[in-house]
Amino acid sequence: MNREHTRVIRIGDRVIGGGNPVLIQSMCNTKTQDIEATVAQIKALTIAGCDIIRVAVPDMEAAKALKEIKKQITIPLVADIHFDYRLAIASIEAGADKIRINPGNIGSEDRVRAVVEKAKEYNIPIRVGVNSGSLEKNLIEKYGGVTAQGIVDSALQKVRMIEELGYDNLVISIKSSDVMMCIKAHELISEQTDYPLHVGITESGTLVSGTIKSSVGLGVILYEGIGDTIRVSLTGDPLEEVKAARLILKSLGLRRGGVEVVSCPTCGRTRIDLISLANQVEEMVSKFDHLDVKVAVMGCVVNGPGEAREADIGIAGGVGEGLLIKKGEVIRKVPEDQLLMALQEELMNM
């Protein structure tokens, strides 16, 4: 089922599915009961471009904290629940815009029913989440190990369980740390359901390895027209998850706006500290998120102007100085230590 034709599901004041923009999610790594720290992190993530935020609810104190957190943020709040159905109920009552559960670890049918009835009462969606690491033994035995088909079967069984309880306000999440298995699982499930899919490569790793794995996996899945909302799962600052997710969506043409920075690899012709300059530019342009422009950072004046032709604006380094370039045309020379400032001034004028 292509994302253009999945069901439309409302999460707070946002919607996913039905061809709506693919939304970016992240998860706080603060203690949810620490309201001040959690709100501060959510506000920072919101500025960075996060559309939906999830928090862990491991105990009743965390569940009760949601009410105050919700008052202080502007994006939908998702409660992540495992094992204790009472935490799901309390989170819904505290104002969660969506809950994430694995019905398989919630317990008896009566407990799952209690959660579903409460979600129905408040008309909030349930994200049915299944990870390859939590696959049931009978499915592992059936398929001779953890497989894409087994993950899909597990998720659809849980969806049917909730449907049989009279509720279909659902989002499905099937994740694996195995990139190719995750891709295959999404291809399979998209053929069997029209529920919107929350897509991600779970436990993908640290900033570098996790971003690469997520970019490959999410890139393929999203390019195939699958996926309505995404999370890049990294071992690190959640802000890096949001940055990576935005770049993935922009690279695929699924999101516009914000400044895109392109920079060349260093070579023997480089006469400036290009690595430092490119990083400074990337940090600086985050202040110009309202612009929809491409900025080029090139290491030499030999190929720089030509390579920067497709950018709206760019800089190319020389010996102690650099060129300021617009639409491939050199507009002036600037001392090396003033390149960053000159670029910032041009962006401010734009």
Side-chain angles (χ1 to χ4, degrees), residues 203-222:
E203 301 160 358
S204 61
T206 54
L207 181 58
V208 174
S209 62
T211 299
I212 292 171
K213 288 176 69 175
S214 295
S215 298
V216 172
L218 289 172
V220 173
I221 293 167
L222 291 168

Side-chain angles (χ1 to χ4, degrees), residues 300-317:
C300 73
V301 296
V302 176
N303 294 325
E307 292 174 343
R309 186 168 287 113
E310 293 183 4
D312 297 285
I313 189 168
I315 49 179

Side-chain angles (χ1 to χ4, degrees), residues 130 135-136 139 142-143 147-160 174 188-189 192:
V130 174
L135 197 60
E136 294 86 345
L139 289 172
K142 178 179 179 180
Y143 293 107
T147 66
Q149 188 63 63
I151 297 169
V152 170
D153 287 359
S154 177
L156 293 180
Q157 285 173 11
K158 292 168 177 59
V159 166
R160 283 192 290 271
I174 50 170
L188 291 171
I189 202 167
Q192 300 178 59

Side-chain angles (χ1 to χ4, degrees), residues 88-284:
I89 292 172
S91 296
I92 295 170
E93 292 176 339
D97 295 298
K98 183 173 77 170
I99 58 167
R100 186 268 188 179
I101 62 170
N102 180 340
N105 70 30
I106 288 293
S108 66
E109 183 179 325
D110 285 345
R111 292 181 175 183
V112 175
R113 183 188 300 276
V115 174
V116 171
E117 289 300 324
K118 184 59 66 172
K120 189 185 300 184
E121 178 186 343
Y122 283 74
N123 193 30
I124 69 162
I126 297 173
R127 175 182 144 196
V128 179
V130 174
N131 288 351
S132 58
S134 61
L135 197 60
E136 294 86 345
K137 289 181 180 179
N138 68 308
L139 289 172
I140 293 175
E141 292 172 359
K142 178 179 179 180
Y143 293 107
V146 177
T147 66
Q149 188 63 63
I151 297 169
V152 170
D153 287 359
S154 177
L156 293 180
Q157 285 173 11
K158 292 168 177 59
V159 166
R160 283 192 290 271
M161 180 191 308
I162 296 176
E163 287 176 331
E164 288 169 1
L165 294 171
Y167 203 53
D168 63 359
N169 191 359
L170 305 175
V171 178
I172 300 176
S173 169
I174 50 170
K175 295 186 181 181
S176 172
S177 57
D178 183 312
V179 173
M180 299 311 295
M181 184 184 296
C182 204
I183 291 170
K184 183 62 177 177
H186 282 87
E187 290 171 343
L188 291 171
I189 202 167
S190 68
E191 296 172 353
Q192 300 178 59
T193 182
D194 66 350
Y195 286 115
L197 300 176
H198 171 103
V199 182
I201 309 298
T202 193
E203 301 160 358
S204 61
T206 54
L207 181 58
V208 174
S209 62
T211 299
I212 292 171
K213 288 176 69 175
S214 295
S215 298
V216 172
L218 289 172
V220 173
I221 293 167
L222 291 168
Y223 181 72
E224 292 182 347
I226 302 167
D228 304 274
T229 178
I230 65 170
R231 180 196 175 188
V232 175
S233 299
L234 300 176
T235 305
D237 190 336
L239 285 170
E240 299 298 337
E241 297 186 351
V242 175
K243 291 178 184 177
R246 290 185 61 181
L247 284 172
I248 290 169
L249 292 177
K250 288 178 71 173
S251 297
L252 292 165
L254 294 173
R255 180 165 291 213
R256 297 187 61 82
V259 179
E260 178 186 358
V261 177
V262 295
S263 57
C264 66
T266 57
C267 73
R269 288 193 298 269
T270 305
R271 293 293 181 266
I272 61 172
D273 185 0
L274 180 64
I275 296 172
S276 175
L277 181 60
N279 283 321
Q280 290 179 67
V281 169
E282 196 161 69
E283 180 67 27
M284 182 266 290

Side-chain angles (χ1 to χ4, degrees), residues 47-104:
I47 292 170
C50 186
D51 298 303
I52 299 170
I53 188 66
R54 180 160 47 115
V55 296
V57 183
D59 52 41
M60 198 56 73
E61 185 181 1
K64 291 178 180 177
L66 299 185
K67 186 174 183 179
E68 186 56 39
I69 292 170
K70 188 81 168 58
K71 292 178 183 176
Q72 299 184 46
I73 64 174
T74 58
I75 58 176
L77 182 65
V78 181
D80 190 84
I81 314 294
H82 287 280
F83 307 116
D84 192 339
Y85 77 105
R86 294 168 297 183
L87 297 177
I89 292 172
S91 296
I92 295 170
E93 292 176 339
D97 295 298
K98 183 173 77 170
I99 58 167
R100 186 268 188 179
I101 62 170
N102 180 340

